Amino acid sequence: MMKHCLILLFTIFFCIQVSGQTRLTAEQQNQVIAKLDKAASAVKSMQCEFIQTKKMKMLKKEMQSTGMMYYKSPNKLRWQYTSPYDYTFILNGDKVRIKSSKTNQNINVQDNKMFRQITNIILNSMTGKGLNNSSDFTVEVYKNGNYYFAKLYPKKKELKQIYQVIEIYFNATLTMVSSVKLEEKTGDVTWVRLYNANTSVTLNESLFNTN
């Protein structure tokens, strides 16, 4: 149940066609990652809306949901679905809370290796951090017109069992993640598009309450 909830949470982003894409050289990639890391480190808080679309291999119909995302540096995240259902995932350091109309569950991330790795992916995907962490992923950075995106291929056994590749797309100024795409080993694909982002917002600590 926990795994399926996380996979549902992860589902990410508006499918971007990548015709004309060019893979960066190692030097260019290092320069882009350094710029992304600097921009991500400068974001202390963020609030935005999201649209999530999930396409399952066994179904022809796509599932779409919407909601709000709240982030506070360095490790607080609230991912809240508002339509077509009410479901909230809260990450605060090593603690996670999952709540909906049917469940209210508290989890210690350190007690579950898989959960710990997946929560790290959530934070890194939403902020653009961690692209230079070679222990978790093989990273390839591409340019398509004025835009950049990164392909992350999992190295660790636990993540390789779930994900084929994770793609993170950035805005043209390399200051923020605009969308993420997750391809699962099952053939299911999830896209999430972030919009109406506000990085100067003051967030109430109650948003990240895991008690």
Side-chain angles (χ1 to χ4, degrees):
M1 177 66 179
M2 183 188 304
K3 173 182 166 184
H4 291 301
C5 288
L6 284 172
I7 291 176
L8 180 62
L9 165 72
F10 269 125
T11 46
I12 312 179
F13 297 73
F14 186 71
C15 186
I16 299 175
Q17 297 300 320
V18 291
S19 58
Q21 67 188 36
T22 302
R23 184 177 176 182
L24 303 188
T25 65
E27 181 179 0
Q28 290 172 329
Q29 177 166 312
N30 290 336
Q31 291 174 349
V32 168
I33 290 177
K35 186 172 183 178
L36 290 168
D37 280 344
K38 182 178 180 179
S41 297
V43 176
K44 303 305 179 184
S45 64
M46 179 168 64
Q47 171 183 307
C48 68
E49 298 175 66
F50 70 83
I51 296 175
Q52 173 183 297
T53 305
K54 185 176 181 70
K55 185 174 182 179
M56 302 182 69
K57 187 177 181 180
M58 302 300 294
L59 300 175
K60 293 183 178 180
K61 185 178 179 180
E62 293 184 345
M63 297 181 293
Q64 188 173 91
S65 53
T66 60
M68 296 290 299
M69 188 271 279
Y70 306 87
Y71 164 77
K72 190 171 184 179
S73 178
N75 54 10
K76 297 178 181 179
L77 182 80
R78 181 185 181 98
W79 191 267
Q80 183 173 357
Y81 294 93
T82 55
S83 177
Y85 47 79
D86 183 15
Y87 179 94
T88 303
F89 172 93
I90 302 172
L91 170 65
N92 190 332
D94 291 334
K95 296 182 179 180
V96 165
R97 183 182 182 190
I98 297 173
K99 62 178 183 177
S100 68
S101 58
K102 297 182 179 180
T103 185
N104 194 341
Q105 184 179 12
N106 294 315
I107 302 164
N108 189 320
V109 175
Q110 294 303 319
D111 293 339
N112 187 302
K113 183 178 180 181
M114 171 69 78
F115 206 99
R116 185 167 66 251
Q117 291 178 350
I118 291 180
T119 53
N120 285 336
I121 293 177
I122 296 174
L123 280 174
N124 291 340
S125 296
M126 294 303 104
T127 62
K129 293 182 179 179
L131 294 183
N132 55 3
N133 189 347
S134 59
S135 63
D136 291 335
F137 298 98
T138 297
V139 179
E140 299 176 357
V141 180
Y142 294 80
K143 184 176 183 181
N144 184 29
N146 293 326
Y147 293 86
Y148 293 85
F149 68 98
K151 291 185 178 183
L152 283 64
Y153 297 93
K155 286 185 175 181
K156 294 184 177 180
K157 179 179 64 176
E158 295 84 2
L159 295 179
K160 289 175 72 173
Q161 292 174 351
I162 301 177
Y163 299 108
Q164 185 76 31
V165 61
I166 299 170
E167 298 181 5
I168 304 176
Y169 294 82
F170 304 91
N171 60 10
T173 57
L174 289 175
T175 56
M176 189 176 298
V177 173
S178 61
S179 63
V180 178
K181 175 183 177 183
L182 292 130
E183 295 185 17
E184 299 170 24
K185 297 288 286 188
T186 59
D188 295 351
V189 179
T190 303
W191 308 272
V192 178
R193 179 169 61 90
L194 306 179
Y195 64 102
N196 290 339
N198 183 349
T199 57
S200 60
V201 64
T202 300
L203 300 177
N204 194 305
E205 284 294 325
S206 63
L207 288 169
F208 310 102
N209 183 13
T210 56
N211 297 324

